[in-house]
Amino acid sequence: MNGVERPPRHWRKSSRCESGHCLEVCFEGGSVLLRDSKDPDGPVLTISADEWRAFTDGVRRGELGGELA
């Protein structure tokens, strides 16, 4: 790194996450970061805010198969 510290990320889980082992989301600038809560030091997937919106809209419309718990 260049020696500049980045502020800590604010990771959020769904309020429907009962097990504690869920997808975590962090909104950072124009990007959305995703990680597995079981592996907080593991890989992070970065997508655009538009991709996140399309994903969540598809979930709400039931386009992705399965049900919301």
Side-chain angles (χ1 to χ4, degrees):
M1 281 198 109
N2 60 7
V4 177
E5 281 200 40
R6 174 182 48 175
R9 291 179 170 154
H10 177 70
W11 292 96
R12 301 181 342 178
K13 286 186 240 186
S14 168
S15 60
R16 295 182 183 209
C17 177
E18 296 176 7
S19 68
H21 302 291
C22 302
L23 178 72
E24 292 182 318
V25 179
C26 176
F27 299 96
E28 192 170 82
S31 299
V32 180
L33 289 69
L34 307 166
R35 73 177 183 186
D36 182 349
S37 66
K38 294 185 302 291
D39 188 12
D41 295 320
V44 173
L45 174 66
T46 302
I47 61 175
S48 71
D50 288 339
E51 290 169 318
W52 177 250
R53 195 171 305 106
F55 170 72
T56 56
D57 287 348
V59 169
R60 286 187 193 101
R61 289 190 299 264
E63 296 174 353
L64 303 175
E67 298 178 24
L68 290 176

